[in-house]
């Protein structure tokens, strides 16, 4: 079952099918939100559906609100991130990646994004091309 489509991150649309979702979250009194559990997803190149990849993107991770109304996402383990052209600064290309290890995404109160990926990054666009 197609759960959603990511358009604009890759040269082709990517279908995202959630195969297993046993994730859950815990909200702490200081505003932090912990995400943990199991999440397995199949990614499909919708221009060429014979190209697909199944991944465990279970995390865990913590989302911490910031004083300016933004948030910091501290992503550990395996995560899926996608960015549209311009999301990571003027002129930046779109991207869809699976990270393994510690990645950080800072979202400012004005919506600016700063992404610090883990050492291990799978370029999902290249893997599905």
């Amino acid at each position: 079952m197609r759960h959603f489509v990511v358009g604009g991150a890759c040269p082709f649309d990517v279908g995202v099918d959630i195969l297993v979702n046993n994730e859950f979250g815990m909200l702490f009194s200081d505003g932090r939100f912990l995400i943990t559990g199991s999440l397995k997803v199949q990614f499909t190149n919708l221009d060429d559906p014979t190209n697909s990849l199944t991944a465990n993107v279970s995390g865990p991770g913590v989302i911490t609100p910031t004083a300016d109304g933004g948030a910091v996402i501290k992503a550990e383990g395996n995560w899926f991130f996608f960015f549209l052209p311009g999301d990571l600064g003027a002129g930046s290309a779109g991207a869809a990646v699976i990270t393994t290890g510690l990645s950080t995404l800072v979202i400012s109160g004005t919506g600016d994004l700063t992404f610090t990926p883990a050492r291990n990054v799978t370029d999902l666009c290249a893997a599905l091309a």
Side-chain angles (χ1 to χ4, degrees), residues 12-66:
F12 46 84
D13 288 348
V14 177
V16 181
D17 301 306
I18 299 171
L19 305 176
V20 174
N21 184 1
N22 292 318
E23 285 199 315
F24 61 94
M26 290 176 41
L27 180 62
F28 295 92
S29 61
D30 62 1
R32 288 177 302 127
F33 187 75
L34 169 68
I35 302 166
T36 191
S38 177
L39 180 62
K40 295 184 174 116
V41 178
Q42 181 171 357
F43 301 98
T44 303
N45 175 336
L46 295 183
D47 286 351
D48 182 359
T50 62
N51 292 334
S52 67
L53 178 123
T54 301
N56 173 356
V57 291
S58 297
V62 175
I63 301 170
T64 303
T66 58

Side-chain angles (χ1 to χ4, degrees), residues 43-102:
F43 301 98
T44 303
N45 175 336
L46 295 183
D47 286 351
D48 182 359
T50 62
N51 292 334
S52 67
L53 178 123
T54 301
N56 173 356
V57 291
S58 297
V62 175
I63 301 170
T64 303
T66 58
D68 69 353
V72 175
I73 300 173
K74 181 180 173 187
E76 299 184 74
N78 300 322
W79 274 65
F80 167 59
F81 291 96
F82 69 90
F83 304 100
L84 302 180
D87 277 353
L88 297 176
S92 65
V97 297
I98 297 171
T99 61
T100 301
L102 177 60

